[in-house]
Amino acid sequence: MNRIEIKEKAKAILGNNIFGNTWLMMLLVFLIYTVIIGAASNIVPPVATMLVTGPLMFGVSYVLLNKVRTEESIDIGNLFKGFNNDFGQNILLGFLMSLFIALWSLLFVIPGIVKTYAYSMAFYIKNDHPEYNWKQCLQESMRITDGHKMDLFVLDLSFIGWYIVGGLCLGIGTLWVMPYHQTAKALYYEELKNAQI
């Protein structure tokens, strides 16, 4: 999997323009996601956060996959699809994924990082297989990332320069990096999935 090609394709999907309509719409998706999660954690920390995190992660994955696979414009409303599509399983997937990563992290930092990458494709899988329950999504994510976790880590690492530059702009610039970074990860999922066929 060519990391450079994936990143170039991600930029092209976003219109190769950080102030272009597509890039800004994707930025808005991540901004809304961040604001809702932040607000939920301040209102009723454990319960509210648990109720919105999984469904919103499903929605973000839906928006990313839809953009990567089609030429359609970004529909902000799709961010909330996880509240209509198998709401209970989306809550469980988000909650249990976070719980398992936290528990693995208690052993040492490295097992937590490994599990983070092992579970990283779970919500993309949920989008492609709505009939899967939370456990099947995690198992399938572990299966398709087997042998690819280091590649994913290096892909994430390759965005550090972008985040540093974004951080120099009073931190606001990092918002522009998120669409690029996450679009690249959605493309990586597509590559992983196609490699299994």
Side-chain angles (χ1 to χ4, degrees), residues 71-88:
E71 296 296 319
E72 293 176 17
S73 57
I74 295 165
D75 181 355
I76 300 293
N78 287 334
L79 176 60
F80 304 100
K81 271 197 175 289
F83 292 95
N84 298 324
N85 298 6
D86 210 356
F87 178 62

Side-chain angles (χ1 to χ4, degrees), residues 54-109:
L56 285 175
M57 287 174 76
F58 178 92
V60 167
S61 301
Y62 182 93
V63 170
L64 286 164
L65 287 179
N66 193 53
K67 190 60 194 169
V68 162
R69 292 170 177 172
T70 72
E71 296 296 319
E72 293 176 17
S73 57
I74 295 165
D75 181 355
I76 300 293
N78 287 334
L79 176 60
F80 304 100
K81 271 197 175 289
F83 292 95
N84 298 324
N85 298 6
D86 210 356
F87 178 62
Q89 284 297 318
N90 288 327
I91 289 174
L92 280 173
L93 180 55
F95 172 69
L96 292 171
M97 187 166 78
S98 299
L99 178 65
F100 294 155
I101 290 169
L103 292 173
W104 278 102
S105 298
L106 291 176
L107 296 175
F108 285 110
V109 176

Side-chain angles (χ1 to χ4, degrees), residues 118-139:
Y119 298 152
S120 64
M121 302 297 156
F123 277 101
Y124 295 122
I125 290 161
K126 183 62 178 168
N127 269 276
D128 281 340
H129 298 280
E131 73 280 8
Y132 281 13
N133 62 28
W134 66 268
K135 189 175 183 181
Q136 290 170 304
C137 290
L138 292 181
Q139 287 173 336

